Amino acid sequence: MPVLSRFAYTRPCAFAAVLSLTALVTGCGDSPDGGPAVTAASAEVTVPVSAVSATVLDAGAEPREVVRLAPTTGTEQNVILTTRSEVHQQIGDQPAQDFSTPELTTPLSATVTESVADGASGTVVDLRLGDVSTPDPHLETSLAEVEGSGAGLTMGPNGAVSALRLEPGTAVPNVARSALEQAFYQAVYRMVAFPDEAIGVGAVWESHQQVMSAGITIDQVGTATLVSREDDRVRVDIRVEQIPQESTWMLPNGQGQLSVEQYTMAGDGTLTIDPSKPLPIQGDFTVSGDQTYLDPDGATRLTQSQVDRVGWHTPES
């Protein structure tokens, strides 16, 4: 059985395979000569984010109204995104390995360049990265060239992200690129999507979103509660659970397959949203769980535990 590794920041993988939030040990491909695969530098990479469906379970108290995010073109916002992923993995009787991604603090300057409020089909948000920091000295060195790099989101009026764009700059090392990719993936799959129906305080709705990783599909089920709405700020409590849709995980790059013996991944958080702004103004989210996989012969067991944390904060002006 091959030695597998989740997207560890010391071994870069292709951008589209980085879904840290799925709690899967995403295998990193090797180059033909046996060395680590290297993510090619590019001016811009854009990947789609799977659609979200929302069903109202309880419309809440009156007054009710449809919640829509509609920042106008030219709207600017400064926020700080903080992410961390703790991953511990063991294959059979081998020593346990730590594939955690250190905490990453990413200042973001957002500008709305297209808006549904102005007739566009979606809201396009350009992001400029500030001085990204981490307590890990190895990663800190690699982040030196990140400041000024670009990113972007395309969002629907319900708040769901439909596309993620990254433009880290050709001088940014692959180690820093992979850490940023993980951070943004964690963030976009922890956003709240509002239903199409009118809702009031106390409303509860359920959302479904497919999280695609290499070789397996996860159904992320969210239950959201509208806690308060005042002064144009909406506070939502959210609980999510991830459910694998297949019993077999096809490993990337032709490394074989594993049976899903046990899978848990769930958590909760709170987001505070200003519908006139493109990003959450405050929030925190923690999702954790344990997974167990078996090789086809049932002779080798792979176990993994994971804790993902995402935080949003508006800096003081």
Side-chain angles (χ1 to χ4, degrees):
M1 178 179 174
V3 175
L4 304 174
S5 63
R6 182 185 166 277
F7 196 115
Y9 70 89
T10 53
R11 277 191 78 195
C13 299
F15 175 63
V18 188
L19 286 180
S20 61
L21 59 98
T22 62
L24 296 179
V25 277
T26 301
C28 295
D30 287 340
S31 62
D33 61 3
V38 176
T39 302
S42 61
E44 182 178 297
V45 179
T46 302
V47 292
V49 177
S50 55
V52 185
S53 63
T55 303
V56 174
L57 305 179
D58 183 338
E62 295 283 0
R64 300 170 184 157
E65 60 181 300
V66 178
V67 179
R68 283 293 175 260
L69 271 64
T72 57
T73 301
T75 297
E76 297 181 349
Q77 181 185 10
N78 292 319
V79 296
I80 297 174
L81 171 65
T82 304
T83 55
R84 174 171 174 76
S85 185
E86 301 169 15
V87 181
H88 296 88
Q89 181 187 121
Q90 184 172 13
I91 299 176
D93 296 329
Q94 297 179 21
Q97 294 179 289
D98 186 349
F99 290 110
S100 300
T101 301
E103 182 173 281
L104 207 66
T105 300
T106 308
L108 298 172
S109 297
T111 302
V112 176
T113 57
E114 296 181 33
S115 173
V116 293
D118 301 324
S121 59
T123 294
V124 178
V125 186
D126 283 351
L127 303 172
R128 191 60 53 187
L129 280 62
D131 183 11
V132 183
S133 61
T134 178
D136 182 271
H138 172 72
L139 184 56
E140 181 77 32
T141 300
S142 298
L143 291 170
E145 301 294 333
V146 167
E147 186 170 3
S149 292
L153 303 173
T154 301
M155 309 172 65
N158 64 347
V161 176
S162 60
L164 167 64
R165 183 178 77 254
L166 287 178
E167 189 179 353
T170 56
V172 177
N174 285 330
V175 169
R177 287 169 178 263
S178 64
L180 291 170
E181 289 163 4
Q182 287 194 58
F184 277 101
Y185 262 108
Q186 285 180 265
V188 299
Y189 280 96
R190 296 290 180 257
M191 305 283 260
V192 61
F194 291 95
D196 293 333
E197 294 84 0
I199 54 175
V201 174
V204 180
W205 63 97
E206 184 176 271
S207 63
H208 287 263
Q209 183 175 28
Q210 283 194 344
V211 179
M212 303 295 292
S213 186
I216 194 168
T217 302
I218 303 296
D219 183 18
Q220 180 166 279
V221 182
T223 303
T225 302
L226 181 59
V227 176
S228 63
R229 184 169 191 177
E230 53 187 28
D231 297 331
D232 295 325
R233 293 190 174 188
V234 180
R235 181 181 173 188
V236 181
D237 286 351
I238 313 165
R239 176 163 182 81
V240 299
E241 179 182 9
Q242 293 181 351
I243 304 168
Q245 298 302 291
E246 296 96 16
S247 60
T248 301
W249 175 29
M250 303 302 296
L251 301 179
N253 302 322
Q255 296 183 73
Q257 65 183 43
L258 296 176
S259 298
V260 181
E261 182 180 58
Q262 179 258 349
Y263 188 105
T264 60
M265 196 68 178
D268 52 33
T270 299
L271 291 177
T272 301
I273 296 164
D274 181 343
S276 68
K277 304 290 185 183
L279 300 174
I281 59 177
Q282 196 75 29
D284 61 82
F285 221 117
T286 300
V287 179
S288 61
D290 300 287
Q291 302 84 40
T292 305
Y293 306 94
L294 285 174
D295 70 1
D297 298 328
T300 304
R301 177 173 280 103
L302 183 151
T303 60
Q304 178 172 282
S305 63
Q306 181 165 347
V307 181
D308 286 341
R309 295 183 173 90
V310 176
W312 296 94
H313 172 69
T314 298
E316 295 183 4
S317 56

